[in-house]
Structures are given as structure tokens and as C-alpha cells.
Amino acid sequence: MPKDKNNNRDTAESPRVVIDFALLRTFAARNFRDLGGHPTSEGRRVRKGLVYRSSHLAEVPPESPISQLKLRTLITLQSRAEVKHLGAPQPAGRRGVRWEHIPMGDAWFNNEGYTRIASEPGREHLALVMHFREDWRRFFKLLCERDIYPLLFHCSAGRDRTGVGAAMLLSLLGVDRERIVADFLESNLVFTQSLLAAEQLDPVFELIDEKGGIEGFMREVIGLEPAELSIIREDLLED
């Protein structure tokens, strides 16, 4: 897992974080789950078997449920450096699978680690939204396309970038925040030595509220049109 490397040069603003790739490699294909099944505030339900989230997929054990998925689309949110060190996701090589690499955080990653995004304490997950808005726009525009599901998206650990992406998507679909937070914290079952806290999503929810709700947030912050949001809801919600 990431470890801060102490040096006395401007560490408060841009601390160097060294990635333990050897340890991270052991979490391949873990932290996996279906985002379907959640009820929404309008009495509908997120369809099962269409959108999945996971940690990195450089290795997928035969016994993993990921091995049996009939995927159409795989979205990788890892930087190029992470893919280089950990390996390309195995499902990308399957026939009929479209692989979209959105190298989120490339500007911060290099061969040794990365420079942590400057943010106020407790607001790191909001920083993942705000610093990577163009990447998130690309992510959600992919979700607007037809015939793209079943879809799996992932980063290296499947908990921070992937967790923020899941929180925004479930918010868009009308899932209540208690359930969104529960899905976010489910990563703690895998990463028991580096626990997430419910409060880490609060700044994201606060920004959504400041924009008048998820519609305004997706329009003003992410850059999607109402018609695009409707397509995502139409494809991913059932009565």
C-alpha cells in the first residue's frame, strides 16, 4: 500500500508517496462487487449484472467470479505507471471485450510512486473528483453509450478512485446515501490495515448539495447533459 516518504522539502504541499506494488499485486481481482440491487428513492432498483467494480485485474484466479463474467466493456482508472508495474488487466484480452483506459492521475504518478494531490485533510476524495473532472467526464460519457453493458470499472485497489466513481454513479441513480456509504466502506473488508471512513465522502455529498442536487452536480462539475443522464438511468434502472 502507499507509504509516505519523508523528506524535508515541501512535504506539506506535495508529499512523495511510495507505492508498495508487491503488496498491491496480492489484491488482484479482490474488492469486487456488483453495484446492482440497490433500491432508489423513486421506488426503482439498480439492475444487477450490469455494472461491477473491482481492484486491479492483472491476475484473475479461475475461481474468481470475474472469470465467469460476460463483459462487454472494461474501464481501467489506473495511471499508465500503475498498469506498467502491475500489468494490464486480463479481461482486456478477452474476445468481445472493449477496453477503455482512462489513466487517471498520470500527472502525479511515475516509476517510483506519486505526488499526492494537495487537498485539505479529510477532503482527499473530493480532490479525486475535482482534479480529475475531465477523466470523470470521459467515464460517464462512456456509460451513456448504448450496448456497453455488462461493464466493469476498476483502479489498483478498487477503493478510492473506484469508490468515488461508484458513489457518483449510485447518487445519479437515486440510491440513498446510507447505502452508498455502505458500498464505499465494504472495501474495508479487503483492506483491513488501511480503513476508509464514512466521513471521507461527506465533502463530495456537500458539493452535490451545493449544486442543487445530483443533476446540477453532474452538469456543472462533471459536464454531462440532462439527456446523457437520462440514458444512464434508463439503462441501469428497473421498475
Side-chain angles (χ1 to χ4, degrees), residues 151-166:
L151 177 150
L152 187 157
F153 68 98
H154 73 99
C155 56
S156 288
R159 45 167 261 159
D160 296 302
R161 286 163 291 186
T162 298
V164 165

Side-chain angles (χ1 to χ4, degrees), residues 190-201:
V190 176
F191 294 95
T192 58
Q193 302 301 312
S194 180
L195 299 179
L196 295 169
E199 294 75 18
Q200 289 172 273
L201 284 182

Side-chain angles (χ1 to χ4, degrees), residues 7 15 109 120 182 203 219 230:
N7 54 44
F109 281 83
E120 299 175 36
R219 182 180 64 253
S230 295

Side-chain angles (χ1 to χ4, degrees), residues 129-175:
V129 174
M130 301 307 291
H131 281 268
F132 303 139
R133 282 182 290 178
E134 291 185 5
D135 292 323
W136 289 120
R137 184 178 304 118
R138 181 181 169 192
F139 173 80
F140 280 103
K141 282 187 175 293
L142 282 170
L143 268 59
C144 295
E145 296 184 19
R146 298 297 191 177
D147 300 321
I148 200 168
Y149 303 103
L151 177 150
L152 187 157
F153 68 98
H154 73 99
C155 56
S156 288
R159 45 167 261 159
D160 296 302
R161 286 163 291 186
T162 298
V164 165
M168 290 190 288
L169 176 58
L170 292 176
S171 294
L172 172 61
L173 297 176
V175 176

Side-chain angles (χ1 to χ4, degrees), residues 14-134:
S14 56
R16 173 63 59 190
V17 178
V18 177
I19 306 297
D20 188 343
F21 285 109
L23 177 59
L24 195 54
R25 193 169 287 111
T26 67
F27 290 96
R30 298 175 62 186
N31 206 13
F32 166 77
R33 52 195 171 275
D34 189 342
L35 286 182
H38 296 291
T40 75
S41 57
E42 297 181 348
R44 305 180 74 184
R45 189 172 295 272
V46 181
R47 296 180 189 272
K48 291 184 178 180
L50 291 187
V51 180
Y52 302 90
R53 55 175 291 182
S54 178
S55 55
H56 78 88
L57 302 168
E59 299 177 16
V60 180
E63 66 274 13
S64 169
I66 297 173
S67 297
Q68 307 304 318
L69 293 182
K70 304 298 183 182
L71 293 175
R72 285 187 176 177
T73 310
L74 176 68
I75 301 179
T76 295
L77 303 178
Q78 297 166 287
S79 67
R80 290 179 177 88
E82 291 169 279
V83 172
K84 175 183 177 182
H85 281 279
L86 294 172
Q90 281 190 0
R94 296 180 191 170
R95 178 178 297 179
V97 174
R98 171 184 174 185
W99 182 31
E100 293 287 344
H101 187 190
I102 303 177
M104 195 170 289
D106 255 10
W108 285 270
F109 281 83
N110 59 34
N111 288 332
E112 296 180 358
Y114 71 96
T115 301
R116 177 172 295 166
I117 301 170
S119 63
E120 299 175 36
R123 301 177 73 83
E124 293 84 3
H125 288 81
L126 176 61
L128 288 175
V129 174
M130 301 307 291
H131 281 268
F132 303 139
R133 282 182 290 178
E134 291 185 5

